[in-house]
Amino acid sequence: MNFKTIIEPFRIKSVESIHMSTEAERIQYLEAAHYNPFLLNSNQVIIDFLTDSGTSAMSNEQWAAMMRGDESYAGAQSWERFYNAVFDLTSYPYILPTHQGRAAERILYGHLGGKGKVFISNTHFDTTRANIEFSGAVAFDIPIEESKNHENYYPFKGNLDCEKLEKLITEHKAENIGAVILTVTNNSGGGQPVSMQNAKDVAEVCKRHNVLFIIDCCRIAENSYFIKHREAGFEDKTYKEIVQQMFGLADGCVMSAKKDALVNMGGFLALKDEKLAEACTNLLIITEGFTTYGGLSGRDMEAIAVGLVEILDKDYLYYRIKSTEYLGEKIREKGVPVMYPIGGHAVYIDSAKLYDHIPLDEYPGQALVCELYRVGGIRCVEVGSVMFGKYDEQGKLIPAAMELVRLAIPRRVYTQSHVDYVVEVFDEILKNKSETRGYKITKEPKLLRHFTAHFEKI
Ligand code: F0G
């Protein structure tokens, strides 16, 4: 039998209550937060879709493993278990534990970067780009052309354009390329997957030019689901085999364990090359900690070791990808413009299309973010001109390329009835569509304004 209902492949043993606020309360909360959901308290939120990072529910096995945490400064047993779990998937011998993904990025790209260096990716995640640019290097995003069409189906919109890669390497000279970074899945590109063929092609180009190939692997388990179900030749492979094969193509990886290792904090850097690992290890010891714990406590390493096994469970991955798709497809059926096909960890809405009556300098994405909170207590993030907009010399907004709103789904946290509730909230969003107004910014910091900016309703 093929049942339609996606059931969570777990039972719930410990619950966290949600304060069921009223709309009147939320209107007040939102005003007090200056219409910026980042300034809300979490207990004012019913469904928190701000991020899938560090928001996973850990399993009973992970909690049990934490009790085994060996907090010895050097050579802890927890380090051994963590090392074996990462090595089992990557086969990279040099593994550096860090407190989260960006710490691994800072170490690796700080070392490889510097003035005159060039990095190339399908899309650099914000912290990746920031670490590269902070070193003085430049970062180029070259997703495939198909990724720019958000309406048609294409199985691997996360792929990197290998023709452009070849050109960029020739133009900037191989010795100036810091690394080629394949982000799987491509978070900034809508959580779209990367095919194994694309990873093979990237590896081939990098090998031929003797350029370092790094995988930003924080959602590689979700990516493996798409490969198994969309790419010919992988139907009979396990998710683990797919993940191992992809790691086998690269020279190393950077991981934020806050995603596909099902933990609330942690990360690592893993490398094949001894000399590069040695240089990075020196930076690890100075900035994170000794080699066998880096930025992590023993119990964190235990939880990651268990999480890296649980994430590849076939029933978990089915539930994970299908429930994200369920949300995306349901609101799409109602006429909400979403990035299509639905990615692995989030649903992205094109707010400029939804609110085509709101000018871009009145931030349609912020309008949707505020509406979702007012109507349903749903918190999510604008990924548009609030986040990426700049001003010209006259102070006029130079808008971002797109006005997206991201509903990022925490792992193992919400049930299908929570998702059905969110779908229902969109009925109200669509009903109020033409009356919804934009916002103006009344206060903003110089950098990363989306976190702390204040807004006023127009
Ligand atoms: N790479 C990717 C693809 C990411 O999505 C993130 C974080 C990082 C690196 C950095 O890892 O947060 O552990 O330092 N993404 C989060 C998000 C913040 O909400 O998408 P970190």
Side-chain angles (χ1 to χ4, degrees), residues 50-53 100-103 105 125 127-128 183 185 187 216 218-219 256 258-259 266 406:
L50 201 53
T51 179
D52 65 318
S53 180
Q100 62 183 85
R102 67 196 72 181
E105 292 173 344
F125 180 67
T127 59
T128 319
T183 311
T185 56
N187 183 8
D216 178 338
C218 63
R219 297 182 182 87
S256 167
K258 300 170 73 169
K259 285 88 172 171
R406 181 180 82 164

Side-chain angles (χ1 to χ4, degrees), residues 375-387:
V375 175
I378 300 162
R379 176 158 71 170
C380 51
V381 62
E382 192 260 17
V383 187
S385 292
V386 173
M387 196 181 266

